[in-house]
Amino acid sequence: TFFVGIRLLLVALFFLYVGVRFKGSQIPRIFWLLLGTSIVLSVLAKVFAFHLFYPSRYWRFTYPLLVVLFAGLALHRMKRVAVFFGCVVVLFFIPMVQLGHSMMDSTECGEQSGLLDFISTLPRDVMVAGHPYDMDCVPTFSKRAAYVTFEHTLPHHVGFYAEMSRRTNAVFDAYYSSDVASVNAFCTAEGVDYFVFGKSRFEDASYFKPYSARIDALLDLNAGNFASEKFDDFVYEDAEYSVVAC
């Protein structure tokens, strides 16, 4: 966190230098406002701890736009090209690579296109359950309700998290169970209409604590005897995902 703060400070100082150096004559006022509000809201989000959502959300999406604008101006006006490229590498390239990786890591919906297309054909009032990681894209791209997602499982609000935690434990108990009856019982009890299995979730079952310990215990208990392998009536199946109607 300390180094992130230092990096943001250096970036802000560089933007300030460019503005003073060129008197902001070629920079629309809206971009200065964008820079200022991004920094201020990011700081406020840190101070108020999640009441304004993640601090990074106020910076990571405006940052690339500001980089393009200011870097373009600097490249056009700076006479010392070596200095310019040094600034780009230190202040822009490294953070941009990190931002790019974080965005790509959290954007896997394209890999689920077949599954998401199928779910979007289901009745609009259905409830779909599956591994929380695999459910993240369902509400946005399939326009269907997901029982629990990874994004829902973050402990920002105590009451809400208590229910999401209960659902997360319940879905993992069904996901890694050894018999079809357990999955069906889960669906009946929780009002779930379709259950999604992902093959890779049995090969790499990593998840964050405290749920990882529960998953490890289920894997040890039911290894090689999972309910997902005992269904023979999948309503959708591809190389990664299998869907059963409850």
Side-chain angles (χ1 to χ4, degrees):
T1 303
F2 173 77
F3 289 107
V4 171
I6 293 296
R7 188 178 65 202
L8 290 177
L9 177 61
L10 291 174
V11 171
L13 289 174
F14 182 73
F15 285 159
L16 181 61
Y17 164 76
V18 173
V20 172
R21 174 71 172 76
F22 305 119
K23 301 179 181 179
S25 59
Q26 297 185 7
I27 305 174
R29 182 169 176 268
I30 186 64
F31 289 101
W32 288 113
L33 293 174
L34 184 63
L35 171 62
T37 53
S38 296
I39 294 174
V40 170
L41 287 173
S42 178
V43 172
L44 288 175
K46 287 180 180 291
V47 172
F48 291 102
F50 301 121
H51 288 287
L52 296 177
F53 204 54
Y54 287 111
S56 62
R57 295 300 192 271
Y58 297 99
W59 184 249
R60 67 186 291 185
F61 299 109
T62 56
Y63 185 79
L65 177 61
L66 292 167
V67 166
V68 170
L69 176 69
F70 284 97
L73 176 60
L75 180 61
H76 177 66
R77 299 290 294 275
M78 277 188 179
K79 295 181 179 179
R80 297 181 180 179
V81 178
V83 174
F84 164 73
F85 280 109
C87 292
V88 169
V89 171
V90 175
L91 301 179
F92 297 153
F93 180 72
I94 295 175
M96 283 293 286
V97 168
Q98 292 178 346
L99 283 170
H101 280 309
S102 66
M103 289 180 183
M104 288 187 289
D105 288 345
S106 61
T107 308
E108 302 176 349
C109 299
E111 299 174 3
Q112 299 178 300
S113 58
L115 172 67
L116 296 173
D117 287 345
F118 167 75
I119 294 176
S120 67
T121 67
L122 300 175
R124 297 188 67 86
D125 60 347
V126 300
M127 175 74 76
V128 183
H131 195 289
Y133 281 152
D134 295 329
M135 294 293 102
D136 273 344
C137 301
V138 170
T140 300
F141 293 96
S142 297
K143 304 294 189 296
R144 300 298 183 270
Y147 174 72
V148 67
T149 72
F150 166 71
E151 295 290 348
H152 283 153
T153 324
L154 304 179
H156 297 164
H157 304 287
V158 177
F160 181 77
Y161 177 68
E163 172 61 16
M164 292 302 104
S165 180
R166 185 194 70 79
R167 291 190 180 196
T168 300
N169 286 325
V171 80
F172 282 143
D173 286 346
Y175 203 93
Y176 296 107
S177 65
S178 61
D179 60 279
V180 172
S182 295
V183 179
N184 290 332
F186 161 81
C187 291
T188 300
E190 301 297 327
V192 170
D193 302 291
Y194 293 87
F195 200 98
V196 179
F197 292 104
K199 296 180 178 64
S200 62
R201 300 305 177 194
F202 293 89
E203 300 166 2
D204 178 12
S206 58
Y207 205 62
F208 63 90
K209 295 180 179 180
Y211 306 105
S212 56
R214 192 184 195 94
I215 294 172
D216 290 341
L218 289 167
L219 288 173
D220 291 340
L221 178 65
N222 300 320
N225 188 36
F226 296 112
S228 61
E229 302 171 353
K230 300 177 181 179
F231 285 95
D232 55 7
D233 54 349
F234 295 117
V235 295
Y236 172 84
E237 190 170 13
D238 61 25
E240 170 61 19
Y241 298 105
S242 301
V243 182
V244 294
C246 297

